[in-house]
Amino acid sequence: MKTLDNIALALLIVGGLNWLLVGLFEFDLVATIFGGETALLSKIVYIVVGLCALYSLKFFPLINSQTTSSHKDH
């Protein structure tokens, strides 16, 4: 499971950096590398990054439980 968590995090970082480039420079690195926004490979990357975002929703309860337990210690 930890490997899958790391892969999801890495792909979310890649996706976030891509959106940073789009926002600052109107440059879509994924589209540039894989042949345009509508190219099959680009769509696959966008879908996989989106699936990683959905998968990562599972981390919210973990963050909340760590925050709650750290407040109890003080």
Side-chain angles (χ1 to χ4, degrees), residues 24-56:
L24 290 177
F25 306 112
E26 297 181 10
F27 177 72
D28 187 339
L29 183 61
V30 171
T32 300
I33 291 172
F34 295 110
E37 286 181 10
T38 59
L40 180 61
L41 284 176
S42 293
K43 287 185 176 189
I44 291 170
V45 171
Y46 297 140
I47 290 168
V48 169
V49 169
L51 290 173
C52 288
L54 290 174
Y55 173 81
S56 295

Side-chain angles (χ1 to χ4, degrees), residues 4-24:
L4 186 57
D5 294 347
N6 287 331
I7 291 169
L9 177 61
L11 287 173
L12 282 175
I13 291 169
V14 168
L17 292 173
N18 191 59
W19 276 112
L20 177 67
L21 291 171
V22 170
L24 290 177

